[in-house]
Amino acid sequence: MANRKPLSPSQIVKLQEMFGASLRKANPFSDEAGDLIENRWDELKDELEVMSIAAINCVLERMRNTIVVEVDYDAPNAIATAISDGNFGGKYLGLKPDEIPLFGSGQATPEVKEVCLGRRALTSEVLAHLDENGYKFADPLTALRYAIELPDRQCQNPMAIVFKVYNQLWCLVLSDGSEGRHLGVHLDNHKHTGDEWGGYYGFLAVSKW
């Protein structure tokens, strides 16, 4: 485990200044927020403190899991090899490895970022969120290489990508199960209300530029 050190006083001041500037600039609260803070501060302060720290930790954790991976699209049986190298305890493959598209050629070193919406969302909503922020889903080989580089990450929360093959949307899901680290490839069924992705999912993304 990497060594962790507490925030320095100057870093704490930076966070305080950022929050203060954001509140003064946007004041993104309902009309009654001021009254609630004024009259019920003792009830609110502990919960607000916990939520603020949790939000900062969530962002920092995602940044720690933003890594550059080496991808060789021209390697023989690239997908099958990556699945084997992943040492997954359990697998469900709705597609054969050679049916999973590569979406690239040659060698590449994409920076992979884990994006968590923190709420239930349909695939269309995830796609829109990624696009608005300059990202797209990582391709299957890149996602597999990410899982190889950070094998324990999927045990903390499930991660997924969506890709198209045979004119249908498919999911590659990295999760933790009774057999250990699990790899699943199946048709995407997160298209309709009631079938959303859980808010705890991380979506592996790369820059769309």
Side-chain angles (χ1 to χ4, degrees):
M1 180 179 295
N3 292 328
R4 304 287 176 86
K5 61 180 182 180
L7 294 176
S8 68
S10 63
Q11 291 169 332
I12 292 173
V13 169
K14 284 183 179 179
L15 289 171
Q16 291 173 328
E17 291 175 345
M18 178 201 70
F19 281 121
S22 296
L23 292 173
R24 287 190 295 272
K25 180 179 179 181
N27 196 13
F29 299 105
S30 59
D31 293 340
E32 67 271 17
D35 290 337
L36 286 171
I37 290 175
E38 181 69 25
N39 300 321
R40 302 179 63 179
W41 177 247
D42 288 340
E43 298 175 54
L44 292 170
K45 62 181 181 180
D46 290 340
E47 185 173 355
L48 289 173
E49 178 182 359
V50 170
M51 291 176 65
S52 299
I53 292 173
I56 293 170
N57 273 327
C58 182
V59 172
L60 294 177
E61 188 64 30
R62 291 204 300 273
M63 290 301 296
R64 280 193 287 268
N65 293 304
T66 299
I67 65 168
V68 173
V69 299
E70 296 182 359
V71 181
D72 186 355
Y73 295 101
D74 293 344
N77 303 309
I79 295 289
T81 299
I83 291 173
S84 176
D85 290 347
N87 294 315
F88 298 103
K91 294 189 291 288
Y92 172 79
L93 301 179
L95 292 169
K96 297 176 182 178
D98 61 3
E99 292 179 308
I100 299 174
L102 290 173
F103 296 105
S105 61
Q107 290 76 43
T109 53
E111 183 178 81
V112 184
K113 177 183 179 67
E114 184 183 336
V115 176
C116 180
L117 272 65
R119 60 177 175 83
R120 294 176 61 84
L122 300 172
T123 293
S124 58
E125 295 174 310
V126 179
L127 284 165
H129 177 87
L130 294 178
D131 184 65
E132 289 167 3
N133 289 278
Y135 291 95
K136 62 182 180 179
F137 278 116
D139 61 66
L141 184 57
T142 298
L144 290 167
R145 297 306 307 177
Y146 182 94
I148 292 168
E149 292 292 330
L150 294 176
D152 296 331
R153 184 69 189 98
Q154 67 190 83
C155 301
Q156 299 170 26
N157 62 266
M159 302 179 296
I161 63 165
V162 176
F163 59 96
K164 182 175 286 189
V165 62
Y166 300 139
N167 206 33
Q168 293 179 303
L169 290 179
W170 289 74
C171 308
L172 186 152
V173 179
L174 300 159
S175 59
D176 188 34
S178 59
E179 297 175 314
R181 295 169 58 250
H182 188 270
L183 166 66
V185 177
H186 51 79
L187 281 168
D188 176 33
N189 60 359
H190 305 91
K191 302 175 183 177
H192 307 288
T193 301
D195 296 323
E196 297 93 343
W197 294 94
Y200 45 83
Y201 269 89
F203 299 101
L204 300 181
V206 296
S207 172
K208 67 178 184 180
W209 310 117

